[in-house]
Amino acid sequence: MKLISANWKMNMTPSQTKEYLYNFLPLVEDVKDREILLCVPFTSLCIASEMLKDKHVKFGAQNVHYEPKGAFTGEISVSMLKDLGVSYVIVGHSERRWLFGESDEIINKKLIACLGSGIRPILCVGERQDEREAGLTFKVIETQVKLALSSLEDYTDMIDIAYEPIWAIGSGNPATPEDAQKVHRFIKELLESLNKNYKGTTRILYGGSVNTHNASEFMKMPDIDGLLVGGASLDPEAFSQIVKSF
């Protein structure tokens, strides 16, 4: 099943989340042939947990710590998320990598923690503008995927991956659907080479300036299994259009 996920980033207060869900849920109540996910801030998880109980729209977190508990002021563990009913966690988003210095080693530990708890991680990978111009896109993606999945090669079917070219995020200049398709095909072939028992259930999402005008074009590509939507997901009407765009 295709996965259309929102990533609200550091937006939406709990009261705004409540209003959003009140408006959004009726717009997608008849959409049952694709998975709809809202990755909300930590402060909105309780509201999402209450309002999405027994609903077909799922909710996820944007980050998690890899330790189960302890003296890690300001951090959130997988068990805390699990207790709220969180089913997905975004791991390794470029903003976590480049703004907060998360290494591939840390990302790997977070994936291990998620898999151990039964929460499905969405691993984000993507190249910078200079890397793209140097022709290093596939090398960068291969390195990020291999390091993130180190020791986890047998569990690739329990992970989704979002290809988010860093130069496209929030720029209004997305990759072309054809270019994204090439990277998505590359990632799937890479997963097949890493896991000889790979069943093909890892969904490869595209993220990076997705909006109501281009979502359907991305979803026409054979190896694009869903979308990770940033700014355009903050408006319930616009996100519902993206959800129903294909």
Side-chain angles (χ1 to χ4, degrees):
M1 187 178 288
K2 304 294 186 182
L3 172 61
I4 309 300
S5 176
N7 177 17
W8 288 359
K9 306 189 179 185
M10 197 174 71
N11 295 288
M12 297 287 190
T13 64
S15 59
Q16 289 171 331
T17 298
K18 186 174 183 178
E19 181 181 3
Y20 182 104
L21 292 175
Y22 180 80
N23 292 318
F24 178 71
L25 290 175
L27 298 174
V28 296
E29 62 181 349
D30 296 327
V31 182
K32 303 292 177 65
D33 62 343
R34 62 210 60 182
E35 202 164 352
I36 305 169
L37 173 66
L38 301 173
C39 291
V40 306
F42 287 136
T43 51
S44 290
L45 287 174
C46 284
I47 292 293
S49 178
E50 293 170 5
M51 294 187 67
L52 296 178
K53 185 177 181 180
D54 300 323
K55 304 292 186 182
H56 69 291
V57 175
K58 297 183 179 180
F59 66 101
Q62 301 171 21
N63 190 26
V64 69
H65 197 274
Y66 53 82
E67 291 289 353
K69 61 181 179 179
F72 303 100
T73 300
E75 294 294 332
I76 303 293
S77 71
V78 288
S79 62
M80 295 173 181
L81 300 180
K82 189 76 174 177
D83 196 59
L84 285 170
V86 168
S87 52
Y88 286 86
V89 176
I90 296 174
V91 175
H93 192 280
S94 62
E95 290 157 6
R96 299 300 313 175
R97 293 175 187 264
W98 305 114
L99 295 179
F100 300 100
E102 288 192 6
S103 65
D104 291 301
E105 180 183 5
I106 289 174
I107 291 165
N108 174 254
K109 289 181 178 180
K110 290 184 176 186
L111 290 177
I112 292 172
C114 289
L115 293 173
S117 72
I119 292 178
R120 191 173 180 100
I122 300 174
L123 168 66
C124 295
V125 297
E127 81 280 13
R128 300 191 306 267
Q129 180 70 38
D130 60 327
E131 293 168 333
R132 179 184 185 228
E133 293 173 351
L136 297 174
T137 294
F138 294 107
K139 183 61 177 177
V140 170
I141 300 302
E142 180 179 8
T143 299
Q144 289 177 342
V145 170
K146 284 185 173 180
L147 290 177
L149 298 181
S150 177
S151 80
L152 297 173
E153 292 85 357
D154 292 340
Y155 302 93
T156 53
D157 284 295
M158 301 169 66
I159 297 170
D160 294 316
I161 296 178
Y163 168 55
E164 291 203 307
I166 297 170
W167 48 270
I169 298 173
S171 68
N173 180 35
T176 65
E178 292 76 18
D179 283 346
Q181 161 62 25
K182 292 176 183 177
V183 177
H184 282 229
R185 180 68 250 164
F186 174 78
I187 293 173
K188 290 186 177 182
E189 291 173 351
L190 179 59
L191 294 177
E192 290 169 2
S193 71
L194 292 174
N195 182 359
K196 300 306 179 184
N197 297 313
Y198 180 60
K199 297 180 176 63
T201 58
T202 300
R203 290 166 296 189
I204 314 299
L205 318 180
Y206 173 75
S209 294
V210 175
N211 55 47
T212 55
H213 303 294
N214 60 27
S216 63
E217 295 304 308
F218 284 110
M219 293 307 298
K220 289 178 182 177
M221 297 295 106
D223 291 303
I224 295 182
D225 305 313
L227 302 168
L228 183 58
V229 186
S233 72
L234 297 175
D235 178 274
E237 175 66 35
F239 189 54
S240 71
Q241 290 180 29
I242 292 173
V243 167
K244 296 184 286 188
S245 64
F246 62 96

